[in-house]
Amino acid sequence: MASTALSEGDFLMCGIAGIINLNKKPVSSQHLWAMTDALAHRGPNDRGTHIDASIGLGHRRLSIIDLSSAGHQPMLTEDGNYTITYNGEIYNFQELRGKLKEAGVGFQSACDTEVVLKSFVAWGLKSLQYFNGMFAFAVWDKRKKTVTLARDRYGIKPLYYWKGKDVLLFASEIKAFLQHPDFKAALDHEALLEYFTFQNTFTHKTLFQGVALLPPGQFMQILPDGSIVLKEYWDFHFFEETGPKKPEEYLEECDKLVQQAVRRQLVSDVEVGSYLSGGVDSGSIVAIASQTFKELKTFCIGFDLSSASGLELSFDERQKAEHISYLYQTEHYEMVLKAGDMKRCLPHLVWSLEDLRLGQSYPNFYAAKLASRFVKVCFSGGGGDELFAGYPWRYYRTVNSKTFTDYIQGYYKYWQRLVPNKTLKELFAPIWDKVKHVWTEDIFKSVYRDRHVVPQSPEDYVNNSLYFEAKTFLHGLLIVEDKLSMAHGLEVRVPFLDNDLVDFSSKIPIRLKLRNVDQYLNIDEDELAKRHKYFEKMRDGKMILHQVLGKYIGDSGDRFKQGFSGPDASWFKGESINYVKELLLNPKAAIYNYFDYKTVKTLIDEHIESKVNRRLFVWSLLCFELWCQIFLLGKSHLHFVESR
């Protein structure tokens, strides 16, 4: 057995890695250190490894609570039987610590890592139900010869794994696997088809062949014989609560729980800041947090709109953010992005993200870069839209479904974010024989796993949509947020994903979340399209949140729903056109090992000629081309290497 550590300074963040040799051979310390150090950007403050014969655990430390060496990981129990490597924050750890102390459990540190470890020892897998926070961890039980991997309820913290012939690897990020000699990066063609349908993966596959993402709310046990047990310990449940309850009772409870969630997550031994847009979610978090931190630092990303048009002219939210900053006297910082900033950061972004997901996320990259200059912990308003129905134009299209099958077919069409079914065969012509057996509508339907609400009303269809989006859309956003923030040494916290608030929000009547459900009954899809075109601004979502949180920011919070995105529809056919053509319209580009050049060019030309807005498709192509260059072709000359 070996245990080593190296102190490297006062920077903060966390990453975990591990090797399980299924052939029972001793773990190579060289391989484990290499995997662990590949995550140095997540934790340059401290590093450690623990090897017990065929089991190796590695850690890069983020010291948010208990900055002393007592929080060093991997952490062992006093008897040496249990070892943990852990990434996350448990906001109710003091409460759990108190319960454990009452039961006679002793503690050597003030950190939440020891609470997680000793909760697991005391309560076993049942302890997962008690943790309120974000986490991914591995626990080695020396006596039972079992390794347990677990991930938080919502998937805030990632945990990947790969099983080869003789070894199982796990880590916070896939790039750690590249350091092990048994792992060779290869493309998963089925996952590529899934990604270019949904701009996301719903099966927990990744673009890396054989690499999977442990699902949120689940744990995995690797048993002594090398077999794997994967089980769920929690899932979302959106439903219409039965029994009489007055609207004002929901309002009062919502207000109490939002305040409680923000205050819970203020626990830290380092300074905390907050993202601040023009919306009610981040605005209310700032309002509540500023009561504790009188000079709270806030951060906003704006956009140069010189070449923007249409709806894009409203994408810059700096003025609204500045007003909320004025109301609560925050120390406010802003960054304005231009068309060229996407090209500047994209190689570094793709390297950091590795597991390509939804959205055009370079504004998130720069937001984290800005905030990390001043704080090491930052609040985000993530989760508010998915829990409180912030995308009304999506839900209204489902309320007229006659059966659950009709609902699936209609909603599935909407979620073909990049390429519709009719174009897949043409686009994937070079590898069609390898993916033609994949039916993405079945993948879409499998998200529900019979967890859907049996539809009895329009509200039931909306609740099914909320379930789907929490499992897929929200999860994708959380992956992006974690990777791009940790790339800059920043921990992002999401108060709206507090356990008590999530449990409460899931049973709020839909009519307290959405304004006009009745208005959209018995309207066909063509008429619905004429009314809203699905991308126009709407005031219909998150009604209860606006009522509750309006008292904090008044009319400052914009009640229109707007995504965090730059005016790329214009930039991709204007100021960024040369970059798009240089990277994507080169017949020798790496993507044409998998895509048909003529089809890609036609789709891009349709965007450039303003026939169809394909900004998400163009963005995803750019990311995939760089992904191929970096991870498959090993091009190290990309400028992100020098900027890291």
Side-chain angles (χ1 to χ4, degrees):
M1 179 175 73
S3 184
T4 54
L6 176 64
S7 177
E8 295 188 340
D10 295 322
F11 295 98
L12 311 169
M13 73 197 80
C14 273
I16 66 174
I19 300 172
I20 303 171
N21 280 340
L22 304 175
N23 57 10
K24 306 304 180 183
K25 290 184 178 180
V27 165
S28 162
S29 61
Q30 180 182 358
H31 297 159
L32 184 57
W33 275 121
M35 287 180 60
T36 302
D37 287 347
L39 306 175
H41 55 283
R42 296 182 74 96
N45 174 245
D46 187 27
R47 65 173 182 162
T49 63
H50 176 84
I51 296 175
D52 191 352
S54 62
I55 307 296
L57 306 180
H59 189 265
R60 298 292 310 212
R61 186 182 178 195
L62 166 55
S63 309
I64 296 297
I65 298 170
D66 189 351
L67 307 184
S68 73
S69 60
H72 173 74
Q73 294 188 53
M75 181 179 287
L76 283 71
T77 53
E78 289 84 350
D79 63 4
N81 187 58
Y82 294 90
T83 310
I84 189 172
T85 182
Y86 158 77
N87 172 30
E89 301 288 348
I90 303 298
Y91 304 115
N92 64 334
F93 80 101
Q94 293 286 19
E95 175 188 339
L96 296 175
R97 180 188 176 96
K99 290 182 179 180
L100 289 166
K101 291 184 76 171
E102 288 176 3
V105 177
F107 288 88
Q108 306 299 313
S109 72
C111 67
D112 63 335
T113 305
E114 190 175 7
V115 173
V116 173
L117 175 59
K118 292 187 173 175
S119 294
F120 187 88
V121 173
W123 302 315
L125 293 167
K126 191 176 181 181
S127 63
L128 297 172
Q129 300 285 355
Y130 304 149
F131 299 144
N132 190 348
M134 53 185 181
F135 62 85
F137 66 75
V139 172
W140 162 235
D141 184 333
K142 185 174 183 178
R143 190 174 297 116
K144 294 182 179 178
K145 305 297 181 185
T146 299
V147 177
T148 301
L149 309 180
R151 195 160 170 234
D152 64 68
R153 294 182 176 193
Y154 320 113
I156 304 171
K157 288 296 176 183
L159 185 56
Y160 297 91
Y161 64 95
W162 174 81
K163 185 178 181 182
K165 179 183 177 182
D166 297 319
V167 64
L168 186 144
L169 309 178
F170 64 86
S172 299
E173 297 185 14
I174 302 167
K175 57 180 63 67
F177 301 162
L178 300 173
Q179 305 304 314
H180 194 281
D182 284 9
F183 180 81
K184 306 298 180 186
L187 177 67
D188 187 314
H189 298 98
E190 295 180 9
L192 183 67
L193 180 74
E194 189 176 347
Y195 174 74
F196 270 90
T197 300
F198 305 121
Q199 203 192 24
N200 204 350
T201 49
F202 299 164
T203 58
H204 305 295
K205 288 186 175 186
T206 70
L207 291 182
F208 291 86
Q209 189 177 94
V211 176
L213 181 61
L214 183 65
Q218 297 194 25
F219 67 85
M220 172 192 290
Q221 290 191 306
I222 300 93
L223 304 180
D225 63 359
S227 61
I228 292 175
V229 176
L230 184 65
K231 290 186 178 180
E232 180 180 85
Y233 69 87
W234 186 89
D235 196 11
F236 289 97
H237 182 204
F238 291 91
F239 63 101
E240 289 284 299
E241 193 173 29
T242 57
K245 195 170 184 178
K246 297 179 181 179
E248 48 267 31
E249 293 180 74
Y250 286 102
L251 293 169
E252 181 180 347
E253 184 72 4
C254 186
D255 188 11
K256 183 188 80 172
L257 292 176
V258 170
Q259 290 191 55
Q260 175 181 278
V262 175
R263 292 188 174 121
R264 269 180 180 161
Q265 297 195 17
L266 285 171
V267 58
S268 173
D269 290 334
V270 298
E271 189 173 8
V272 178
S274 183
Y275 292 139
L276 179 58
S277 67
V280 66
D281 300 340
S282 64
S284 58
I285 289 172
V286 166
I288 297 168
S290 65
Q291 296 172 18
T292 299
F293 293 104
K294 298 305 179 183
E295 294 184 2
L296 184 73
K297 292 182 175 65
T298 53
F299 311 97
C300 179
I301 295 295
F303 301 98
D304 173 25
L305 302 179
S306 301
S307 59
S309 61
L311 290 176
E312 293 176 333
L313 294 173
S314 64
F315 282 9
D316 190 345
E317 299 183 285
R318 281 177 294 160
Q319 186 174 357
K320 303 165 192 171
E322 287 165 4
H323 183 62
I324 296 175
S325 172
Y326 163 75
L327 290 177
Y328 290 97
Q329 294 296 293
T330 70
E331 186 177 322
H332 191 62
Y333 297 92
E334 298 177 341
M335 178 183 289
V336 181
L337 300 184
K338 307 170 292 299
D341 290 319
M342 178 194 66
K343 175 182 178 180
R344 187 174 293 113
C345 81
L346 201 54
H348 191 177
L349 183 151
V350 171
W351 167 257
S352 301
L353 187 56
E354 36 170 48
D355 183 10
L356 299 185
R357 295 282 170 164
L358 48 81
Q360 291 176 259
S361 52
Y362 71 91
N364 305 70
F365 181 91
Y366 281 111
K369 183 176 182 178
L370 172 64
S372 68
R373 295 174 180 173
F374 302 94
V375 298
K376 290 301 175 185
V377 177
C378 195
F379 281 132
S380 164
D385 289 310
E386 291 76 20
L387 297 174
F388 290 89
Y391 307 104
W393 62 90
R394 297 180 188 170
Y395 320 130
Y396 288 154
R397 69 175 57 244
T398 71
V399 297
N400 288 303
S401 302
K402 303 303 181 185
T403 66
F404 186 69
T405 299
D406 291 340
Y407 162 82
I408 288 291
Q409 292 174 346
Y411 209 37
Y412 165 72
K413 290 178 182 177
Y414 175 75
W415 280 99
Q416 296 170 48
R417 286 168 62 89
L418 298 185
V419 181
N421 274 10
K422 63 181 181 181
T423 310
L424 286 177
K425 182 177 181 180
E426 185 180 358
L427 177 66
F428 280 83
I431 60 168
W432 185 245
D433 285 344
K434 298 178 181 180
V435 298
K436 63 183 179 182
H437 61 284
V438 179
W439 188 242
T440 50
E441 185 174 339
D442 289 341
I443 293 174
F444 182 92
K445 187 176 181 179
S446 70
V447 171
Y448 291 93
R449 296 177 298 134
D450 297 324
R451 301 297 176 85
H452 65 278
V453 179
V454 178
Q456 303 292 329
S457 66
E459 288 80 7
D460 289 339
Y461 285 113
V462 176
N463 273 319
N464 282 322
S465 296
L466 292 178
Y467 176 84
F468 175 85
E469 297 197 15
K471 296 290 286 187
T472 60
F473 190 74
L474 174 60
H475 183 222
L477 294 176
L478 293 172
I479 292 294
V480 170
E481 190 72 82
D482 174 85
K483 295 290 190 64
L484 300 188
S485 61
M486 293 305 253
H488 293 97
L490 183 73
E491 178 187 285
V492 170
R493 296 180 177 179
V494 277
F496 283 102
L497 295 183
D498 172 86
N499 288 358
D500 293 336
L501 185 55
V502 170
D503 291 344
F504 167 75
S505 67
S506 65
K507 60 185 179 183
I508 296 174
I510 291 301
R511 291 170 190 271
L512 293 181
K513 294 180 178 180
L514 293 176
R515 183 196 300 268
N516 289 316
V517 175
D518 290 339
Q519 197 178 78
Y520 293 90
L521 297 178
N522 302 316
I523 295 178
D524 63 33
E525 190 160 323
D526 289 341
E527 178 60 27
L528 194 58
K530 291 177 183 178
R531 292 194 181 195
H532 286 294
K533 300 177 184 177
Y534 302 130
F535 293 104
E536 290 184 0
K537 291 184 173 183
M538 302 179 73
R539 295 177 178 266
D540 290 8
K542 297 195 298 189
M543 299 306 299
I544 186 171
L545 268 189
H546 287 293
Q547 287 180 270
V548 167
L549 304 181
K551 73 176 185 179
Y552 297 111
I553 56 178
D555 294 330
S556 303
D558 195 341
R559 292 179 64 172
F560 290 118
K561 175 57 197 163
Q562 177 173 295
F564 185 31
S565 179
D568 299 291
S570 295
W571 286 350
F572 284 159
K573 54 190 175 186
E575 294 176 80
S576 297
I577 185 64
N578 289 335
Y579 180 58
V580 171
K581 289 181 176 179
E582 172 191 345
L583 212 57
L584 302 182
L585 297 186
N586 173 7
K588 295 183 179 180
I591 58 174
Y592 297 119
N593 290 313
Y594 317 102
F595 296 150
D596 176 71
Y597 176 83
K598 184 178 179 181
T599 303
V600 169
K601 186 177 185 306
T602 298
L603 294 172
I604 292 176
D605 286 345
E606 288 177 350
H607 179 85
I608 293 173
E609 296 165 7
S610 299
K611 294 179 179 179
V612 183
N613 183 349
R614 299 197 185 278
R615 65 184 183 89
L616 294 179
F617 177 68
V618 175
W619 162 264
S620 296
L621 285 174
L622 291 170
C623 289
F624 181 53
E625 172 62 23
L626 287 168
W627 186 92
C628 291
Q629 291 186 21
I630 294 168
F631 294 108
L632 298 186
L633 302 180
K635 290 192 175 182
S636 59
H637 65 276
L638 297 169
H639 69 76
F640 84 91
V641 173
E642 285 75 38
S643 68
R644 287 170 58 206

